[in-house]
């Protein structure tokens, strides 16, 4: 009789971590379940292209790029990522007209005196705006513009040589006030539609270049408003047909009250407390819109705008006009994905009214009440602790940021913050990012250096796990589990960074306690380095297909540099070590300086980092640009530290001098000048009545007497030191 298989019993704990994501619709974390298996439909609000991309854009698009990569490459979702480009907008129209009119004005042969007269007239317009402005930050911005213009006007008045250079200087400084004045005078006469196409296309090109420079994956589908006008018109017609929009004087408005009162519909799902916020609603409508009299309800918003003179226009059933801002995303997302999408993303400042209006439009058109499954909003960006504002000109362009830091370093900064929280782009925050990069880089270099000659193709390359190796392996498995939990927890990258640093620290401790390289279990260390590399690749920190560590060069065509260059570099290093040994023995400091120059100045320019340790020299291949930038950053940090130290010393010296100066005050005079606090003093100069003539309490009097006694003692010391100085 054949024996049957024994019953099998799993020892698994049956504990699996589900991915949860913070959903702006519920303001809490929800279990993430796509509408269609592993396929994700993701629509992201893109840029309004009227100016250079800035770090506020980076806050949004790097954050969502990290989420997208994690969903694709870690959780293995099939993501279709659609992003729009807003190339029809009030800001674009105004900026295009102002730029065009200012360029035309600059080309004229007007005399410098005529230009100054125009600038003065334009300046009065800006001064009036500053006077009427209630917002303190905006008022400050206007005042800064006014000051810079007045400065060049004053220079004109004092200058005897009113040449072409001064003319250019006046135009450059006055461009903002002049273009605003010109637009008010002649904006309605700009009728060439190509003027409104050139500006957004230029800045869209710049935007894509900036995104590529930040290693942000391109969208699978990109939609431009100007290319979807027919679909937008059709979408508006569906909303009208369903009874939630109406035409008024050539424009079409969404009826928020009727929608909100309808069964299964709710207006302002994301920010219900903002319903009726007239200021936010007005900002959402745009600066060129003044159609309050055409609306049925104050909260209604434009789906289609009647075009006034000086604005681009398209034919529609309601006459020539252009799309409203909010309708574009609803119509384009619907054209690509249909009536439902898994994820909609954008900056937190878009929640109301933009995204709330999108939800209302789409649910009105599709007759459903769940257009978006998850709304993801990236947090604000602060610069040195202050909120970034494009309108207040308090911003840093992406191009400028990349002059100071690499895209890798900027991305690491973003990993240090949860994607939905406020991010502070500051020197201190960047220093933390640089330290993380350095820690990872040093770890990778160390493992590469130790395992450079080991191919793991021989029996001796694999060692038995001892006690310390088992501890490290256990730590490795524990950290992988914690990192998985962190990624399942709304993709918590700050926690992942923390666990990576802990894992590197444990690995370094293991190597430091077993300094004999031959005793290392390099297979285990290599696995840890490869795992950390794989995470950094998923996050987009590492752009190439390196198995371990950061790439030695950004030029992907250069392969196997270690194998190609290391034999030559090792020979150079050995020769240098021998020269240094002989130079030390014969006390030849000049030769040692030449060796140091090779290490510090020559080799870094070739992408080679050489480190002198106690017992050997370590050679590291690096990206040349990164290495040179790191050197610049190191010098900058040293200069900043030196400046801080000097400032601290100056403050201490100032405090010392103030203290010494205070000692020279006779005690009976120390309170007499404080008439804002006291109105009567006794014979010693100690206050007895406060400023209002009330008698001081016993406690206050006692405190003042103690101060008097201390000052009397200090004054006596001062007199004695002065006497000694005169005697000597």
């Amino acid at each position: 009789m054949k024996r049957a298989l024994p019953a099998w019993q799993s020892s698994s704990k049956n504990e699996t971590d589900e991915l949860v994501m913070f959903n702006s619709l519920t303001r809490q974390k929800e279990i993430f379940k796509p509408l269609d298996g592993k396929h994700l439909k993701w629509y992201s609000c893109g840029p309004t292209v009227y100016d250079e991309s800035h770090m506020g854009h980076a806050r949004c698009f790097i954050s969502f790029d990290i989420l997208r990569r994690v969903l694709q490459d870690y959780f293995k979702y099939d993501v279709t990522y659609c992003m729009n480009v807003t190339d029809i907008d009030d800001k674009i129209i105004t900026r295009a007209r102002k730029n065009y009119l200012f360029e035309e004005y600059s080309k004229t042969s007007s005399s410098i005196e005529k230009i100054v007269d125009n600038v003065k007239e334009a300046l009065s317009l800006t001064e009036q705006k500053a006077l009427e402005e209630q917002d303190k930050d905006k008022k400050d911005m206007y005042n800064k513009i006014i000051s810079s213009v007045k400065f060049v006007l004053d220079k004109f008045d004092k200058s005897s040589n009113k040449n072409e250079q001064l003319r250019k200087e006046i135009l450059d400084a006055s461009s903002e006030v002049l273009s605003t004045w010109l637009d008010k005078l002649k904006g309605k006469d700009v009728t060439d539609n190509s003027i409104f196409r050139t500006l957004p296309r230029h800045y869209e090109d710049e935007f894509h270049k900036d995104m590529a420079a930040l290693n942000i994956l391109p969208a699978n589908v990109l939609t431009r408003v100007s290319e979807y006008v027919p679909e937008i018109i059709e979408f508006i017609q569906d909303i009208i047909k369903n009874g939630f929009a109406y035409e008024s004087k050539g424009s079409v408005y969404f009826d928020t009250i009727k929608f909100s009162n309808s069964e299964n519909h709710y207006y302002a799902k994301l920010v219900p407390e903002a319903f009726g916020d007239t200021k936010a609603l007005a900002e959402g409508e745009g600066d060129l819109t003044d159609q309050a009299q055409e609306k049925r309800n104050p909260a209604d918003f434009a789906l289609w705008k009647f075009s006034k003179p000086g604005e681009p226009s398209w034919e529609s059933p309601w006459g020539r006009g252009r799309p409203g801002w909010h309708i574009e995303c609803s119509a384009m997302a619907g054209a690509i994905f249909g009536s439902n999408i898994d994820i909609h993303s954008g900056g937190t400042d878009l929640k109301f009214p933009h995204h709330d209006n999108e939800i209302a439009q789409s649910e009105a058109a599709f007759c459903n009440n769940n257009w978006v499954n998850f709304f993801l909003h990236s947090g604000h960006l602060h610069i040195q602790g202050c909120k970034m504002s494009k309108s207040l000109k308090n911003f840093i362009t992406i191009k400028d940021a990349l002059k100071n830091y690499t895209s890798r370093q900027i991305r690491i900064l973003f990993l240090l913050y949860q994607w939905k929280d406020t991010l502070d782009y500051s020197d201190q925050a960047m220093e933390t990012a640089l330290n993380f990069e350095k820690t990872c880089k040093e770890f990778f270099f160390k493992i590469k250096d130790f395992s450079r000659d080991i191919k793991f193709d021989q029996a001796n390359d694999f060692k038995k796990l001892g006690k310390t190796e088992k501890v490290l392996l256990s730590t490795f498995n524990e950290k992988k589990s914690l990192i998985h939990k962190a990624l399942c927890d709304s993709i918590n990258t700050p926690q992942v960074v923390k666990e990576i640093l802990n894992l590197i620290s444990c690995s370094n401790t293991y190597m430091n306690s077993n300094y004999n390289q031959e005793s290392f279990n390099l297979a285990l260390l290599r696995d840890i380095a490869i795992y950390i590399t794989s995470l950094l690749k998923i996050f987009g920190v590492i752009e190439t297909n390196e198995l371990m560590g950061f790439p030695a060069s950004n030029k992907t065509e250069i392969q196997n540099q270690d194998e190609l260059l290391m034999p030559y570099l090792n020979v150079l290093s050995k020769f240098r070590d021998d020269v240094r040994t002989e130079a030390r023995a014969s006390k030849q400091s000049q030769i040692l300086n030449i060796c140091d120059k090779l290490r510090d100045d020559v080799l870094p320019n070739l992408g080679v980092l050489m480190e002198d340790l106690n017992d050997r020299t370590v050679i590291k291949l690096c990206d040349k640009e990164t290495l040179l930038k790191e050197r610049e950053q190191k010098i900058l940090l040293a200069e900043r530290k030196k400046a801080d130290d000097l400032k601290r010393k100056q403050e201490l010296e100032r405090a010392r001098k103030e203290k010494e100066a205070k000692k020279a005050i006779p005690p009976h005079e120390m309170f007499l000048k404080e008439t804002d606090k006291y109105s009567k003093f006794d014979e010693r100069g100690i206050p007895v009545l406060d400023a209002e003539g009330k008698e001081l309490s016993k406690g206050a009097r006692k405190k003042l007497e103690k101060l008097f006694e201390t000052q009397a003692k200090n004054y006596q010391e001062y007199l004695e030191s002065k006497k000694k100085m005169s005697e000597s």
Side-chain angles (χ1 to χ4, degrees):
M1 181 177 178
K2 288 185 177 180
R3 297 178 70 192
L5 285 169
W8 176 79
Q9 185 175 352
S10 172
S11 58
S12 171
K13 295 179 181 178
N14 268 337
E15 291 181 3
T16 56
D17 293 298
E18 284 189 286
L19 172 62
V20 297
M21 294 295 291
F22 185 87
N23 191 351
S24 295
L25 286 164
T26 60
R27 301 186 186 181
Q28 64 184 20
K29 295 171 186 175
E30 306 288 355
I31 295 173
F32 187 77
K33 289 185 178 177
L35 300 167
D36 182 18
K38 295 291 284 186
H39 180 229
L40 282 182
K41 297 185 289 184
W42 184 340
Y43 183 88
S44 184
C45 275
T48 300
V49 282
Y50 69 100
D51 206 340
E52 291 284 353
S53 303
H54 50 73
M55 287 301 289
H57 292 118
R59 174 60 179 132
C60 183
F61 297 116
I62 291 179
S63 297
F64 293 134
D65 185 68
I66 291 168
L67 298 191
R68 179 185 174 190
R69 288 170 182 269
V70 171
L71 290 171
Q72 282 181 173
D73 301 333
Y74 187 86
F75 291 106
K76 305 302 180 185
Y77 285 106
D78 176 21
V79 180
T80 302
Y81 184 85
C82 175
M83 183 183 75
N84 80 296
V85 170
T86 299
D87 59 352
I88 303 173
D89 178 81
D90 285 28
K91 292 187 184 75
I92 293 172
I93 294 167
T94 303
R95 178 65 63 86
R97 284 195 320 224
K98 287 168 70 173
N99 284 3
Y100 169 75
L101 291 169
F102 181 75
E103 286 170 11
E104 292 299 303
Y105 179 87
S106 300
K107 291 175 188 175
T108 63
S109 56
S110 299
S111 67
I112 190 169
E113 289 78 12
K114 176 66 175 174
I115 291 172
V116 166
D117 287 342
N118 291 157
V119 168
K120 287 178 180 177
E121 189 175 345
L123 186 62
S124 63
L125 190 66
T126 305
E127 286 174 327
Q128 186 61 35
K129 277 187 177 182
L131 194 66
E132 295 169 358
E133 183 57 60
Q134 299 298 311
D135 185 279
K136 181 183 179 300
D137 292 331
K138 287 186 178 179
K139 186 182 281 288
D140 289 344
M141 178 198 70
Y142 282 131
N143 287 332
K144 283 180 184 177
I145 294 171
I146 291 165
S147 295
S148 64
V149 174
K150 283 184 175 179
F151 177 80
V152 292
L153 291 178
D154 185 56
K155 190 174 180 179
F156 169 81
D157 290 338
K158 293 176 180 177
S159 175
S160 58
N161 186 15
K162 296 175 172 51
N163 56 18
E164 184 61 29
Q165 178 60 37
L166 182 59
R167 181 181 188 273
K168 184 179 183 303
E169 194 175 335
I170 292 169
L171 284 171
D172 289 344
S174 310
S175 60
E176 181 63 32
V177 297
L178 267 178
S179 59
T180 303
W181 174 70
L182 288 166
D183 188 53
K184 187 176 181 181
L185 289 178
K186 303 178 179 181
K188 63 181 181 298
D189 300 326
V190 179
T191 56
D192 184 357
N193 267 8
S194 66
I195 292 167
F196 303 109
R197 290 193 297 268
T198 304
L199 180 96
R201 184 50 62 101
H202 167 75
Y203 283 116
E204 184 189 337
D205 286 341
E206 294 303 306
F207 170 80
H208 292 307
K209 289 174 187 173
D210 288 339
M211 295 301 102
L214 291 172
N215 192 33
I216 292 173
L217 295 171
N220 302 115
V221 181
L222 188 132
T223 58
R224 296 183 187 89
V225 182
S226 60
E227 297 173 348
Y228 278 78
V229 172
E231 288 86 348
I232 290 170
I233 291 171
E234 186 178 343
F235 200 87
I236 294 171
Q237 287 176 314
D238 288 340
I239 298 173
I240 293 173
K241 185 176 65 178
N242 293 335
F244 295 111
Y246 57 91
E247 186 270 339
S248 176
K249 298 182 180 179
S251 296
V252 179
Y253 294 94
F254 188 88
D255 194 329
T256 54
I257 302 301
K258 187 172 182 181
F259 178 83
S260 193
N261 291 337
S262 299
E263 191 177 356
N264 295 325
H265 288 309
Y266 188 93
Y267 179 65
K269 282 184 173 181
L270 288 167
V271 195
E273 59 270 27
F275 190 6
D277 184 342
T278 53
K279 184 180 178 183
L281 288 164
E283 287 177 358
E285 292 294 77
D287 292 338
L288 299 178
T289 304
D290 184 21
Q291 300 162 328
Q293 301 303 315
E294 301 170 9
K295 299 180 183 181
R296 292 177 184 172
N297 315 295
D300 293 353
F301 56 90
L303 302 178
W304 184 262
K305 297 179 179 181
F306 169 77
S307 286
K308 301 187 291 295
E311 298 176 3
S313 62
W314 286 261
E315 285 292 348
S316 79
W318 317 286
R320 293 194 69 83
R322 55 191 175 88
W325 177 35
H326 312 297
I327 193 65
E328 63 184 60
C329 290
S330 294
M332 293 189 293
I336 304 302
F337 292 132
S339 59
N340 297 98
I341 54 179
D342 292 285
I343 297 174
H344 192 328
S345 60
T348 191
D349 54 316
L350 296 179
K351 286 181 184 177
F352 185 87
H354 186 54
H355 285 161
D356 268 326
N357 287 353
E358 281 186 37
I359 294 170
Q361 293 164 162
S362 298
E363 293 182 358
F366 293 121
C367 296
N368 65 21
N369 63 354
N370 189 23
W371 174 52
V372 174
N373 201 14
F374 277 79
F375 243 115
L376 311 182
H377 288 99
S378 60
H380 285 297
L381 178 88
H382 285 187
I383 297 175
Q384 305 291 3
C386 300
K387 185 178 177 183
M388 196 211 81
S389 172
K390 184 69 170 55
S391 61
L392 300 177
K393 303 185 186 301
N394 169 36
F395 68 98
I396 296 174
T397 66
I398 290 171
K399 289 181 177 65
D400 284 341
L402 287 171
K403 291 175 185 175
N404 298 321
Y405 302 104
T406 65
S407 63
R408 178 202 297 163
Q409 292 163 346
I410 292 171
R411 187 170 286 251
I412 289 171
L413 172 69
F414 282 61
L415 292 174
L416 298 175
Y417 290 82
Q418 184 63 289
W419 54 269
K420 67 180 184 64
D421 296 338
T422 297
L423 185 152
D424 184 28
Y425 180 72
S426 63
D427 295 335
Q428 293 83 357
M430 282 308 306
E431 194 169 340
T432 304
L434 295 177
N435 286 335
F436 174 77
E437 181 191 42
K438 183 180 179 182
T439 300
C440 291
K441 191 182 293 183
E442 291 299 321
F443 177 66
F444 292 141
F445 279 147
K446 198 178 290 185
I447 304 303
K448 280 183 177 181
D449 183 53
F450 287 149
S451 61
R452 185 164 280 127
D453 299 325
I454 297 176
K455 307 298 181 188
F456 296 98
D457 57 359
Q458 299 178 36
N460 288 338
D461 294 343
F462 299 90
K463 291 182 172 63
K464 178 184 177 181
L465 293 183
K467 185 179 178 180
T468 54
E469 285 80 16
K470 287 179 182 177
V471 171
L472 182 58
L473 177 61
S474 175
T475 302
F476 183 24
N477 289 329
E478 178 193 355
K479 295 304 176 187
K480 284 194 285 188
S481 176
L482 290 172
I483 285 170
H484 178 68
K485 285 179 182 292
L487 290 173
C488 288
D489 183 20
S490 198
I491 309 183
N492 187 345
T493 57
Q495 187 62 33
V496 173
V497 169
K498 181 181 175 182
E499 299 302 343
I500 288 174
L501 288 172
N502 286 339
L503 181 54
I504 290 175
S505 177
C506 292
S507 301
N508 285 333
T509 300
Y510 165 75
M511 286 186 280
N512 292 337
S513 61
N514 298 273
Y515 194 72
N516 182 3
Q517 182 183 340
E518 293 179 3
S519 69
F520 290 166
N521 192 303
L522 289 170
L524 176 55
L525 290 168
R526 184 171 176 270
D527 285 346
I528 292 171
I530 290 171
Y531 171 71
I532 294 172
T533 302
S534 70
L535 286 174
L536 296 178
K537 281 197 279 191
I538 286 170
F539 293 146
V541 173
I542 295 175
E543 301 179 35
T544 59
N545 291 321
E546 299 284 316
L547 181 65
M548 184 203 310
F550 297 123
S553 172
N554 285 333
K555 298 178 176 66
T556 54
E557 68 271 11
I558 299 176
Q559 300 294 329
N560 301 319
Q561 289 197 82
D562 276 22
E563 293 180 17
L564 179 65
L565 299 177
M566 284 313 298
Y568 302 99
L569 290 173
N570 283 331
V571 170
L572 174 64
S573 176
K574 178 68 170 60
F575 175 74
R576 178 176 171 275
D577 286 344
D578 292 343
V579 170
R580 291 174 75 222
T581 301
E582 291 297 326
R584 283 199 193 96
S586 56
K587 297 182 180 180
Q588 296 288 331
S589 59
Q590 269 189 315
I591 294 175
L592 287 171
N593 289 338
I594 292 169
C595 291
D596 289 347
K597 189 174 181 182
L598 175 70
R599 178 195 62 201
D600 299 335
D601 299 331
V602 178
L603 290 178
N605 283 294
L606 300 172
V608 178
L609 185 64
M610 187 178 277
E611 287 187 357
D612 294 320
L613 304 181
N614 291 333
D615 59 340
R616 62 200 176 94
T617 300
V618 176
I619 298 174
K620 304 168 183 179
L621 285 174
C622 309
D623 171 50
K624 174 187 166 184
E625 285 75 17
T626 303
L627 202 58
L628 294 176
K629 188 165 280 189
E630 283 176 355
R631 189 167 66 179
E632 288 174 12
Q633 289 166 353
K634 191 175 180 180
I635 293 169
L636 188 65
L637 287 172
E639 288 175 350
R640 191 177 295 148
K641 186 177 182 302
K642 187 177 177 181
D644 289 343
D645 289 344
L646 179 62
K647 185 180 178 183
R648 193 159 44 249
K649 285 179 182 176
Q650 288 173 340
E651 287 174 353
L652 288 171
E653 180 62 19
R654 185 165 59 250
R656 187 191 67 77
K657 286 181 178 178
E658 285 176 0
K659 188 177 179 181
E660 289 299 317
K662 191 176 178 183
K663 281 184 177 182
I665 300 172
H668 64 274
E669 294 180 6
M670 67 181 292
F671 298 117
L672 296 179
K673 291 182 179 179
E674 298 182 33
T675 53
D676 58 326
K677 295 180 182 178
Y678 312 111
S679 59
K680 187 177 180 182
F681 307 86
D682 65 13
E683 66 280 358
R684 292 182 300 169
I686 298 175
V688 292
L689 301 179
D690 66 13
E692 295 176 358
K694 294 178 183 177
E695 189 174 347
L696 296 176
S697 67
K698 287 183 179 179
R701 174 86 178 176
K702 192 173 181 180
K703 187 178 178 182
L704 291 170
E705 285 175 351
K706 280 187 178 181
L707 291 172
F708 179 88
E709 289 168 6
T710 302
Q711 182 62 21
K713 184 180 176 182
N714 291 337
Y715 183 66
Q716 188 60 38
E717 288 176 1
Y718 163 75
L719 292 176
E720 288 173 4
S721 64
K722 197 173 179 184
K723 184 179 178 183
K724 286 179 183 178
M725 286 175 66
S726 62
E727 289 174 353
S728 61

